[in-house]
Amino acid sequence: MNRRNFLVTLTLASTTLLVDRRLAFAAAQDLEYLQALERAQRDRPGKLSANGRIAPTTEPGAPFVIHGRVFRADGVAPAPDVIVFAYHTDAAGHYDVPSAPPHSWLLRGWVKTDANGRFEFTTIRPGPYPNRKTAAHVHFSIEAPGAPRQHSGLTFEGDPLLTAAEREESTRAGRFGTMRPVENRDGGQHVTLDIRLRR
Ligand SMILES: [Fe+2]
């Protein structure tokens, strides 16, 4: 690859990363993050179903269920057989013990969407980072058959740490917005989330 092509490729890659970064709440920060993401996938169970756990049953925190559905880029057709990797902080806002290396995620899980694109994660409600500069959130890394990995996220409507820009961006995305209302029922908190695959 000559220098010009290399620079074009680098620019395109950087643009992709910038888009991902915005969609994933600054998740795809750097190569270290992407490498950690790939490394984590080595622990992926061999057999996945549409229902999975992120936090184990022993994890302290408010019971929380994510009812998700993945759609193709047209926003209409459900996307089956999509592997969704999710991770989030514990109730105190930590991803792992303080001595763990960056991008270590203790609370993480995988599901594979069913024929209707649906999935469900049972977990605990994550807390904001201890510095309280970022709204509480869940990260999703999504692998649709034959497509490159995509990133998405979830935040919680009414979270005072959400910025006006984050709220506006979610509102603009309509039903595919990443800021979702939390419903209290059946002794737990529930969120419904629709995710649209990018072309
Ligand atoms: Fe995060």
Side-chain angles (χ1 to χ4, degrees):
M1 180 183 302
N2 64 33
R3 186 169 183 276
R4 183 178 176 280
N5 285 348
F6 173 75
L7 289 174
V8 168
T9 302
L10 193 65
T11 302
L12 287 173
S14 300
T15 304
T16 303
L17 272 179
L18 283 172
V19 172
D20 283 348
R21 187 178 300 177
R22 182 165 52 82
L23 291 173
F25 310 96
Q29 290 170 3
D30 48 32
L31 185 59
E32 187 184 18
Y33 166 78
L34 295 173
Q35 288 171 337
L37 192 58
E38 291 303 326
R39 204 162 48 240
Q41 304 317 304
R42 294 177 199 155
D43 296 330
R44 176 195 296 172
K47 185 169 170 53
L48 298 176
S49 75
N51 294 279
R53 289 202 69 95
I54 302 174
T57 55
T58 53
E59 182 68 23
F64 177 54
V65 184
I66 302 166
H67 306 269
R69 196 169 184 198
V70 182
F71 291 85
R72 297 192 190 284
D74 64 6
V76 177
D81 298 324
V82 175
I83 295 174
V84 181
F85 172 60
Y87 63 93
H88 61 68
T89 56
D90 63 16
H94 298 286
Y95 280 117
D96 205 334
V97 295
S99 59
H103 309 309
S104 297
W105 307 303
L106 202 56
L107 306 183
R108 60 184 190 173
W110 293 261
V111 288
K112 183 188 267 189
T113 58
D114 68 12
N116 295 310
R118 296 187 188 280
F119 69 88
E120 189 173 294
F121 275 119
T122 303
T123 186
I124 56 116
R125 172 92 176 246
Y129 297 157
N131 63 13
R132 301 192 64 80
K133 290 183 177 174
T134 305
H137 55 277
V138 179
H139 291 275
F140 298 105
S141 173
I142 299 160
E143 288 181 71
R149 184 185 300 280
Q150 302 183 17
H151 302 281
S152 186
L154 164 67
T155 59
F156 308 101
E157 194 174 275
D159 187 333
L161 295 177
L162 281 167
T163 66
E166 287 168 337
R167 290 197 302 271
E168 284 166 17
E169 182 175 343
S170 180
T171 301
R172 268 200 306 276
R175 60 182 266 252
F176 294 107
T178 52
M179 179 186 69
R180 308 312 307 167
V182 180
E183 186 184 348
N184 288 287
R185 59 179 160 84
D186 306 326
Q189 301 180 24
H190 298 256
V191 156
T192 300
L193 176 71
D194 286 346
I195 296 172
R196 178 164 53 184
L197 297 174
R198 294 204 301 280
R199 295 184 194 284

